[in-house]
Structures are given as C-alpha cells and as structure tokens.
Amino acid sequence: MTTSATKRKWDRRLVVGLIMFGGMICVAIFAPWIARNDPLAIDFATQFLAPSADHWFGTGRLGFDIFARVVYAARYDLVISMSAVLMSIVIGHPIGLVVGYLGGRVDSLTMRALDVIQSFPAFILAVGVLAALGEGVFNLILVIGFVGIPTFVRLVRAEVRSLREHSYVEAGRAVGNSRTRIMFRYIAPGTVGTVVTQAAISCGWAILLTAALGFIGLGVPLPDPEWGAMIAEGVEEMVVGGRWWISVFPGIAIAVTIFSLSLIGESIADLVEPTRRKSR
C-alpha cells in the first residue's frame, strides 16, 4: 500500500471516529434538550413498555424512560472515563519521564512497585479499592485513574529511553542544560504522540471498567443512570420477560463509544509511527 493510500485510510478512520465520539460528547452536553423525558421520573403506569413513538427505547421496571437514561448516562460514563485517563496521564507521564531518563536505582524501584500493582487484575483491584472507599463518581475516577497509571508510566519510560540518546538531546547536554530542562524541553514533546494514542485506547478501557463496576453495583449510585448499571438492570428482564430493550440500548451506546475511540487511537498510531521511525 502506498503512503498516500495509507494516509487516506487513517484519515477516513480518524474522521469517522471523531464524528462518532464527538456525537457522543454532544449527546452528553445537550442531554436536557435531546432527552424528551426526565431520566429519574417514576411512572408505574408506563413500566415495561416496548420501544414506541412515545418512548423511543421503551421503559424499565419503574417506568423509567430508557432513551432519557441512555442519553444522561453518557454524561457519567464520559466524564468518569475521561477524568480518570487525565489523572493517569498527569501522574504517570512525569513519573515515566523521570525514571526513563534517570534510570538506575530509581528506575528499578519504580518498576518493581508497578509490578506489584499490575500483579492484580485491574477489575479485581478496582473492586477492592472501591469496596474500601465506597461508591461515588469521585471515588470511581480515583480508582480507575489509579489503575491506569502504570500503563502510562511504562509507555513513557520506554519512549524516553529511546529518545534520550538522540543527537539533539546530547547537544542539549553539551551546552549545559539541566536535567529538568532536558527532560521537559527536549524529550517530553517526543512522547506526546504515544501518550495521545494510549489516551484514546485507555478512555475506551475506562468506559468498559466503569460499566463493569456499575454492572455489579459498585458504580454510579442508583437511581442515577449509568450504562453498566442499566445493562445489569435489564438482564433479568430479558431472560424472564423477553424485555430486551432495557439492556440492549445502553450496550449499543457502550459499543459505539468504544468503537469510535478505537478508530481514533489506531489512526493516531498510524500517523505517529512513521514520524517516530523517521526520527530514529
């Protein structure tokens, strides 16, 4: 495949991914105008209605309008996932930068500490910490952000270990720049592409983890809408009463959001990789 063909391919994926993800962000921002009903309104007279002109996605156990809840749940899932990933970057990037540049004992001790954290499955670790801290949006962000820190530390560290031997870094040392200036002025910009690519992928992973925690009751406290909790709510109704719409529509929302982030991450990776190879 030619370079231009490759460029067109990732261009299309990036555009499609940005449109889809941008659409989800717009849904979250303009939820009061998009949702026609109150997501927390209880109406026993309308419970378990199938999708119709009055209730586009049907209704749930307490008469909740599923469409309104899916729309408002976008706010929680996107805010939690994006905030958690931002936390992981803000903490993980400087650590990876420092240990990757300094190496030695600092690098060894940091990597061993990360090995201990990553020896626990992310979901199990998140469940344990949340069980201790309690439910709540802020605690969810803290837990998911903490679990994601080692990924960014390792990625940035690996990138820095490669970049620190480049000629322009050597030139920076030769003219007497301090270690701090070399790390943040000369090396840090070279890690941006890797961090942005991983941020898109990690955001999708954070949405999945948020939904998984919500599914087992450790996510956003009820009755506030959240995609994972909505799926859990509808599983029994799907099996017993055939009411598929309660779980299917929030599941579609998760799938669309993660697919869009996957397209964005892959496209940015394709864009960054040739530049990285050329610089090396």
Side-chain angles (χ1 to χ4, degrees):
M1 184 179 292
T2 64
T3 303
S4 60
T6 303
K7 185 176 183 297
R8 286 196 301 272
K9 182 179 179 181
W10 70 255
D11 276 347
R12 288 195 298 269
R13 285 186 299 171
L14 182 59
V15 170
V16 172
L18 288 174
I19 290 174
M20 293 172 65
F21 188 62
M24 296 304 296
I25 291 177
C26 288
V27 166
I29 293 173
F30 300 108
W33 292 272
I34 295 174
R36 302 185 302 169
N37 299 302
D38 184 346
L40 301 179
I42 297 176
D43 185 356
F44 291 105
T46 61
Q47 62 181 342
F48 297 136
L49 294 180
S52 65
D54 293 327
H55 300 279
W56 292 347
F57 289 179
T59 61
R61 185 189 304 273
L62 300 178
F64 287 143
D65 183 81
I66 302 301
F67 177 74
R69 289 179 68 78
V70 169
V71 168
Y72 274 88
R75 288 185 165 187
Y76 285 100
D77 285 81
L78 292 180
V79 166
I80 291 170
S81 60
M82 295 172 71
S83 300
V85 171
L86 180 61
M87 171 186 161
S88 298
I89 294 172
V90 169
I91 297 175
H93 185 275
I95 295 175
L97 194 62
V98 171
V99 300
Y101 184 77
L102 296 180
R105 185 181 292 269
V106 173
D107 180 39
S108 178
L109 291 175
T110 302
M111 290 303 103
R112 299 297 76 76
L114 295 182
D115 287 341
V116 172
I117 295 174
Q118 292 187 300
S119 64
F120 298 93
F123 180 72
I124 301 300
L125 181 61
V127 169
V129 176
L130 267 181
L133 294 179
E135 297 179 358
V137 173
F138 182 71
N139 287 344
L140 269 174
I141 293 172
L142 286 180
V143 169
I144 297 174
F146 173 75
V147 171
I149 289 173
T151 299
F152 286 95
V153 174
R154 291 185 181 278
L155 281 174
V156 174
R157 170 183 175 269
E159 195 72 15
V160 170
R161 288 169 67 88
S162 172
L163 293 173
R164 69 183 181 181
E165 305 302 329
H166 280 207
S167 57
Y168 66 88
V169 177
E170 293 292 343
R173 295 193 191 99
V175 297
N177 285 298
S178 65
R179 284 182 173 181
T180 302
R181 180 172 174 79
I182 290 173
M183 282 190 289
F184 290 94
R185 174 66 178 82
Y186 289 81
I187 297 178
T191 66
V192 171
T194 299
V195 170
V196 171
T197 301
Q198 184 59 42
I201 297 171
S202 292
C203 196
W205 170 84
I207 288 173
L208 274 179
L209 184 54
T210 301
L213 292 169
F215 188 87
I216 64 172
L218 288 176
V220 176
L222 295 173
D224 291 331
E226 191 278 318
W227 290 332
M230 292 177 67
I231 293 175
E233 176 188 353
V235 167
E236 182 179 351
E237 300 301 334
M238 183 186 297
V239 174
V240 176
R243 303 179 182 99
W244 53 269
W245 56 88
I246 301 174
S247 290
V248 167
F249 289 115
I252 291 174
I254 293 173
V256 168
T257 307
I258 293 176
F259 179 65
S260 67
L261 288 166
S262 175
L263 289 177
I264 293 171
E266 290 176 3
S267 301
I268 296 175
D270 288 346
L271 174 64
V272 170
E273 187 58 32
T275 304
R276 184 183 295 123
R277 287 199 300 266
K278 183 177 179 181
S279 67
R280 291 175 181 174

